[in-house]
């Protein structure tokens, strides 16, 4: 029997420190340390993020190796997020990965974070049926920093066919939440309050942009305008209408995503649709995609919750596929905050 390919993945592009072990494509562990320090600042503070990564990286890697039930010497290669992301944060994960690879003399694999989000669909679990998209498929990649429609032709060929011209969908969630006085990250909170709200109560303007592109910066101005007008009449307007406001904001953001991915799918004749990135954890987006599957007979792929937001399992699975292609990096590799797909 040939030796198993065991990959240690490291993710540190923003405010989550994560390490995971994947063995021949099957998940063995995925440890994530979230950083709570940013909550009170309404967004990620880069300097604080890198300091937290420094504190967390060794215990997180140690826990991933222990939970996987393997020894350090069993690891075939280490993959890490090279970018895009915050430079100070990326430096912690990349420096660790480089030292680890050098220390036990194994190959080093540099990973594009956005590719990682897409590749999360290929993580297999021993205890489950593993349904994976067939090539070519369309992936709606929606996170705090990106909103893209990617034509995924193969593991190695991914083409961006549409993207945001300004704010990302996650950013639109977080900035809207901030206007409502909710802590960072506001996306999950909007999702929570929206469940009991009326999505038709308020309408917010949105910019119309061509083809498969997106624009979300207008939504903030539109929310501010509604709130300023109403707060003059009633000081408690936000508090009394929080659920309806959240449902209406969420509906506005998600509606555009659904419209554009459906348009791309019909025009390109591709029925396989996947979503990826932090915003794919949104319950309303997931519900709308399931409707798309039922009504329009699309094959929809929605990642498990733990693989939606930033995690190292997605970096380890991408590392596994790059390992098969012998796509290695040497010790001169450096992190890059703006890395293209
Ligand atoms: O992929 P991710 O963890 O980090 C980046 O690479 O950006 O995405 C984080 C983004 C944040 O903007 C967060 O508010 C959003 O994903 N998010 C959500 C939900 N969970 C996370 N947005 C809406 N609803 C959610 N349930
Ligand atoms: Zn991400």
């Amino acid at each position: 029997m040939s030796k198993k390919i065991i990959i240690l993945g490291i993710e540190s592009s923003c405010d989550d420190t994560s390490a995971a072990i994947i063995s021949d494509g099957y998940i063995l562990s995925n440890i994530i340390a979230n950083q709570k320090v940013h909550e009170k600042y309404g967004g990620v503070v880069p300097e604080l993020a890198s300091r937290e990564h420094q504190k967390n990286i060794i215990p997180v890697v140690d826990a991933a190796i222990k939970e996987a039930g393997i020894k350090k010497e069993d690891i075939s290669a280490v993959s890490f997020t090279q970018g895009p992301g915050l430079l100070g944060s990326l430096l912690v994960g990349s420096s660790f990965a480089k030292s680890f690879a050098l220390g036990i003399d194994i190959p080093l694999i540099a990973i594009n974070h956005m590719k990682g989000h897409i590749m999360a669909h290929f993580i297999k679990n021993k205890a489950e049926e593993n349904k994976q998209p067939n090539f070519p498929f369309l992936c709606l990649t929606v996170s705090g920093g990106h909103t893209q429609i990617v034509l995924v032709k193969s593991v190695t060929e991914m083409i961006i066919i549409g993207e945001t011209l300004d704010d990302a969908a996650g950013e639109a969630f977080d900035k809207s939440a901030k206007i409502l006085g909710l802590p960072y990250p506001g996306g999950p909170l909007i999702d929570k309050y929206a469940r009991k709200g009326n999505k038709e109560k308020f309408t917010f303007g949105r910019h119309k942009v061509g083809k498969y592109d997106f624009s979300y910066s207008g939504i903030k101005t539109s929310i501010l305008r509604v709130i300023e007008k109403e707060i003059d009449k009633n000081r408690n307007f936000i508090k009394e209408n929080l659920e309806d406001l959240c449902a209406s904001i969420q509906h506005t953001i998600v509606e555009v995503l659904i419209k554009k991915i459906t348009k791309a799918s019909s025009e390109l004749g591709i029925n396989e649709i996947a979503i990826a990135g932090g915003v794919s954890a949104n319950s309303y987006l997931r519900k709308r995609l399931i409707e798309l599957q039922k009504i329009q007979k699309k094959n929809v792929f929605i990642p498990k919750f733990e693989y939606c937001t930033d995690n190292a399992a997605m970096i380890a699975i991408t590392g596994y596929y790059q390992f098969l292609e012998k796509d290695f990096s040497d010790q001169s590799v450096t992190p890059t905050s703006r890395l293209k797909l």
Side-chain angles (χ1 to χ4, degrees), residues 165-322:
L165 305 179
D166 40 60
D167 289 351
E171 217 175 343
F173 269 107
D174 297 337
K175 287 180 177 173
S176 306
K178 197 172 176 183
I179 298 174
L180 301 180
L182 300 172
Y184 177 85
L189 293 169
I190 292 199
D191 189 348
K192 182 178 140 202
Y193 292 117
R195 280 175 208 169
K196 288 191 193 146
N198 171 8
K199 65 180 181 351
E200 318 287 346
K201 181 86 175 276
F202 303 100
T203 42
F204 301 112
R206 42 181 182 231
H207 289 310
K208 286 215 162 63
V209 286
K211 263 305 216 199
Y212 312 131
D213 288 334
F214 304 86
S215 168
Y216 280 117
S217 66
I219 188 171
K220 287 170 308 200
T221 330
S222 184
I223 296 168
L224 271 174
R225 229 177 266 138
V226 169
I227 288 177
E228 273 165 10
K229 208 173 97 205
E230 296 295 334
I231 236 159
D232 270 352
K233 294 183 257 171
N234 172 10
R235 267 188 332 118
N236 293 323
F237 171 73
I238 295 182
K239 207 169 146 205
E240 286 169 13
N241 293 277
L242 188 62
E243 289 169 347
D244 294 340
L245 280 165
C246 286
S248 305
I249 291 167
Q250 179 172 267
H251 178 65
T252 309
I253 298 172
V254 169
E255 189 64 27
V256 187
L257 296 175
I258 294 291
K259 217 177 231 166
K260 295 276 172 150
I261 192 71
T262 312
K263 180 177 156 74
S265 164
S266 310
E267 290 181 358
L268 300 173
I270 297 175
N271 261 338
E272 307 267 302
I273 296 177
I275 50 162
V279 179
S280 53
N282 183 267
S283 60
Y284 181 62
L285 175 60
R286 293 166 91 95
K287 181 173 156 238
R288 294 289 304 269
L289 283 163
I290 290 165
E291 278 169 19
L292 210 64
Q293 172 152 313
K294 283 198 186 125
I295 300 161
Q296 298 204 25
K297 306 277 176 254
K298 309 274 184 202
N299 285 331
V300 172
F301 297 86
I302 303 175
K304 286 169 91 174
F305 271 110
E306 62 260 44
Y307 304 142
C308 288
T309 45
D310 290 348
N311 66 86
M314 68 187 202
I315 303 303
I317 191 73
T318 315
Y320 171 68
Y321 282 98
Q322 289 189 202

Side-chain angles (χ1 to χ4, degrees), residues 11 13-14 113-114 117 142-146 277-278 308-311 314:
E11 155 63 29
S13 65
C14 191
H113 180 85
M114 299 314 292
H117 273 302
V142 273
S143 70
H146 293 82
C308 288
T309 45
D310 290 348
N311 66 86
M314 68 187 202

Side-chain angles (χ1 to χ4, degrees), residues 316-332:
I317 191 73
T318 315
Y320 171 68
Y321 282 98
Q322 289 189 202
F323 185 97
L324 297 179
E325 301 279 324
K326 295 197 171 37
D327 182 3
F328 303 131
S329 293
D330 61 31
Q331 286 285 331
S332 66

